[in-house]
Amino acid sequence: MDTITLFKAKKIITMNPRQPVADYVAVRDGIILGTGSLDSLAGWGDYEIDNQFADKVILPGFIEGHCHSWEGAAWEDTYVGFLDRTSPTREVHPGLKSIGSVVEKLKKANHTLTDPTTPVKGWGLDPIFFERRVTCADLDQISTTRPVVVIHQSGHIINVNSYVLDKAGIDGNTDVDGLVTDGHGELTGELMGIALYQTALKAIGMNSILDMGENAERSLWWFANSAQIAGVTTVTDLASELSPEMVTVQQSLAALDSYPIRVVPAFMGQMVPSNEGVEKMLNLKKQSTPKLQLGLVKLIVDGSIQGFTARLKTPGYYNGAPNGLWYVDPTELPSIIEAYHSAGLQIHIHTNGDEATEEALDAIEQVLKVHPDSDARFTLQHCQMAHDAHFKRMARLGVCANLFANHLYYWGDQHYETTMGPERAARMDAANSAGRLGVNYSIHSDAPVTHLSPLFTAWCGVNRRTYSGRILGEPECISVQEALHAVTLGAAFTLKLDSELGSIECGKRADFTILEDDPLTIDPMKLKDITVWGTVLDGRVFPVSEIGRNMN
Amino acid sequence: MKATSLHKSSKPPQVPMTIIGGFLGTGKTTLLNHVLSHSIGIRYGVMVNDFGSLAIDESLVAAHNGDTISFANGCVCCAMGDNLVASIDKLLASAHRPEHFLVEVSGVANPKALADVATLHPELSRDLIVTLVDAATVGERLSDPRLRDTIMMQLAPADLIVLNKCDLANEDQLQEIQHNLTAHHKGKLVRTINARLPDDVLSQKSLQPSQVHDGIESDTISNIKTSWTHDPEAQFHRATLDLPESMDSEVLTALLRKHQPTLLRAKGFVNNKMGQRVSIQLSGKRVDISPSHYSPPDTDTHNPEHETPAILVVIGLDSLDRFRDEVLGVNNMVDEGATRNQRNSV
Ligand SMILES: [Zn+2]
Ligand SMILES: [Zn+2]
């Protein structure tokens, strides 16, 4: 019989309502035997006490219910975002507060390159924070002899230097949509839309922004390390094409004891005809393992609010912008949902605007009438504009919400001033209403769109502060306890993993987040600043300080 | 093989790309299958971004030595999905290099976004954007606030609107739909049943000089012959015009641009200002001039009698009378202008 380890902690926050806090947790073979006092755990048999967490706080391992493996690959390039960000190698990259500092950082990156054809690539640019847009003239300061490409925070827009425009044959006479010009009709090098995007990338020999290529393994390690630094033990990858090559890499990593995360990839269900998608996912589901959970399907209904591509109901955008885009034909949505649902596959649906949310709920309701399932756990991802009526319907239909709490901080001011206006900005990502009306909810980062840190996400849900310090809709603030539930058990429920994960209680997997401070007693405004010591996955300890040692 | 024209390009001709848009069920795939089964001698590259219930008949594509690829929904996210440009390049580099691309886009896509791919690609030319609407459902869809703006987005860039399934609506309804659809933009609308478009609508290559000159006498001044046909099913007007040698490409371009709202396609050969024979094409809103690719039969290539005849084939959805008349009138002026220019340059 395997040894029993009793981890002693300053405090164990269990999320088990019958025993909310404890001093010890007993683990055998990666499985939790229970929490409590030495006395209450002694009956399991011989044990060893592990004191390394004696002055630390243990929580159920954080579960990031919506992020992307691109979080790892992104760090192949230079981060030029506005807010501070920690790399998977634990370097802190201070936020760049001016276009000048973006240029300076990319200049440094340029100096490290030896091959004259290698592009200088930046990511995370968010010109919404600057007084003007970035131009070719800015990026030409970095180089005029090699490509310079900077991907915006949204992932949907890129800026390039003149070299790329020349190579791609794009000039002021090019008659396509999405070419941004300045006040004098000059191209600024800002490119939007699939045609410009792909043409520019091709001109510099790149296939796709998301193509990890030969670096797939390193990227997935970095993804894992980003998660580990944030105290996350289970991540989603929402969504993936799940190509056979990518699945093979993920399987080989998951098989390593040293790989510190559990991964739940979702398949982009609308990328192929539904019958093909169903077949593919039913096959993959059979290959599911505890560390690589396969079978989840994701659908995307609309775009993003800050990009004005979310579908809104009347009266639409506060600044009068036209309504956003459907990413799937709303009249086709029921049949796509039906195909996956009736095959027994779980579906998460991206909806940002309230029109998209209603459309998804209509479709789900329609499908459930034909294929009743009281535990399908459809989950609306982002679901940022849902109001009470939507949450009531969701509760009735058994639909979960995963709310984009980080948005409140990152773009809350823009939502208040431009996209939604004050009243609707106050109800964005309305976690308190979701909970009050009986909807199981989680909160998320959508990393790399915002930074991966459930403590920060919890801070957003609790405080609802924007970047400028404005509080958006105080009645929607949730308690720290509720926020911690959302990033543990709440997220586990949306993934149908709550019988194995999400709380520290007998029979569940020994996945823990180890913190230096107690989130339940600290000033809630300091929640995001708590140091993560490390994680435990299946009983194995992963200190943040050792990151990098396990990498091949 | 003998040398052909002096002006023949060394680069392979650009491959036209036609974009077919419209909601699910409007008949996009039916249209594709119809084109594929009726066109002879054109190698199509077919790209499909819609996963509706109806499949492309791949055997039809294969019968033309063409290739079909379906590309994952690139419109969901520019960063996700298959790289459309890479897929196009693969087909262009293949042994079966297509002579024409037909792209069926997803039911909610803006076809213009895909047409832009052709505009930007050096080996492609942007051909028509064809947007289909379903006569039986479009009325209801246009009054649905969820769908109206998407339909309008698809109609706005259309060079040709195909009002399909006209057998499922009565004349009053069709009139009303037609009024609604054309009220907001300048696209040209044709009514169809089973998406049956004439073969020469979707492909420039099929646009051939009319075999039948239907009795309208050639004009003694301009030497223009016209042949008017009115396809009872598809309402297209066609003309084959023998242009006088004095007509140059600049004047013809200006005329085509001016009459673009009436014209759908035009293809012809005419001299440029330097006296070189060039090929001139109009598809939708674009006019392209390129070196003449016409290979005259053997014999002396310098003999003007064996030059590509100065001819223009046009197809439109309205009467072409005004276009023809203006070509006549302008021809007279052009004659004078051209003569004066010649004198000045000597
Ligand atoms: Zn996402
Ligand atoms: Zn995108």
Side-chain angles (χ1 to χ4, degrees), chain B residues 1 37 40 69 82 85 100 140 149 184 230 250 255 281 297:
Chain B
M1 181 127 171
S37 59
I40 294 152
I69 54 171
D82 294 339
V85 174
H100 194 122
E140 196 183 317
D149 56 342
H184 301 282
H230 181 77
E250 260 178 48
L255 276 172
Q281 297 197 339

Side-chain angles (χ1 to χ4, degrees), chain A residues 34-310:
Chain A
T35 64
S37 61
L38 268 185
D39 276 356
S40 68
L41 297 167
W44 287 103
D46 291 344
Y47 58 79
E48 279 171 11
I49 292 186
D50 186 330
N51 272 315
Q52 62 177 320
F53 307 137
D55 61 344
K56 311 201 187 303
V57 177
I58 300 182
L59 270 76
F62 290 150
I63 299 172
E64 175 48 271
H66 187 151
C67 65
H68 300 269
S69 57
W70 184 33
E71 163 65 24
W75 292 98
E76 298 283 348
D77 307 328
T78 305
Y79 175 68
V80 294
F82 188 77
L83 299 170
D84 297 358
R85 195 115 167 188
T86 304
S87 79
T89 49
R90 290 199 294 144
E91 278 171 277
V92 177
H93 291 251
L96 304 179
K97 307 298 183 195
S98 70
I99 292 174
S101 46
V102 170
V103 170
E104 283 314 307
K105 188 162 179 190
L106 291 170
K107 271 186 183 170
K108 276 186 202 143
N110 181 41
H111 292 315
T112 65
L113 300 175
T114 46
D115 181 341
T117 61
T118 313
V120 177
K121 281 156 65 192
W123 67 282
L125 181 71
D126 200 349
I128 215 163
F129 290 109
F130 300 140
E131 67 289 350
R132 64 171 178 86
R133 309 292 280 190
V134 173
T135 66
C136 278
D138 296 318
L139 300 189
D140 285 349
Q141 291 177 48
I142 297 146
S143 177
T144 53
T145 58
R146 69 160 87 235
V148 180
V149 183
V150 182
I151 305 149
H152 288 215
Q153 185 78 2
S154 68
H156 290 231
I157 303 175
I158 55 176
N159 266 92
V160 299
N161 64 346
S162 311
Y163 179 89
V164 176
L165 289 182
D166 289 350
K167 274 266 178 185
I170 298 167
D171 60 31
N173 298 319
T174 308
D175 177 25
V176 298
D177 294 341
L179 259 185
V180 179
T181 53
D182 64 16
H184 313 287
E186 295 283 320
L187 294 187
T188 65
E190 190 170 317
L191 309 176
M192 270 180 274
I194 185 168
L196 283 165
Y197 211 92
Q198 294 191 354
T199 300
L201 291 186
K202 174 190 162 188
I204 58 171
M206 280 169 68
N207 186 35
S208 148
I209 292 285
L210 289 185
D211 187 8
M212 298 182 194
E214 309 150 11
N215 299 329
E217 205 172 308
R218 178 168 63 191
S219 294
L220 293 175
W221 263 109
W222 280 352
F223 181 36
N225 292 335
S226 266
Q228 191 191 341
I229 288 168
V232 175
T233 50
T234 298
V235 293
T236 45
D237 184 7
L238 226 65
S240 162
E241 296 164 47
L242 286 179
S243 66
E245 302 80 44
M246 193 48 87
V247 172
T248 305
V249 177
Q250 286 178 318
Q251 283 171 330
S252 68
L253 289 174
L256 299 174
D257 284 343
S258 58
Y259 196 63
I261 51 169
R262 232 175 269 295
V263 185
V264 188
F267 174 65
M268 262 297 281
Q270 72 225 66
M271 285 182 72
V272 298
S274 305
N275 58 336
E276 281 176 33
V278 165
E279 196 187 326
K280 178 189 176 101
M281 288 315 290
L282 289 178
N283 276 329
L284 281 175
K285 198 177 174 181
K286 286 184 216 144
Q287 302 174 44
S288 217
T289 65
K291 274 180 81 183
L292 184 62
Q293 303 274 351
L294 297 162
L296 187 61
V297 174
K298 181 173 177 202
L299 302 175
I300 299 184
V301 178
D302 67 342
S304 74
I305 298 171
Q306 76 276 29
F308 298 100
T309 47

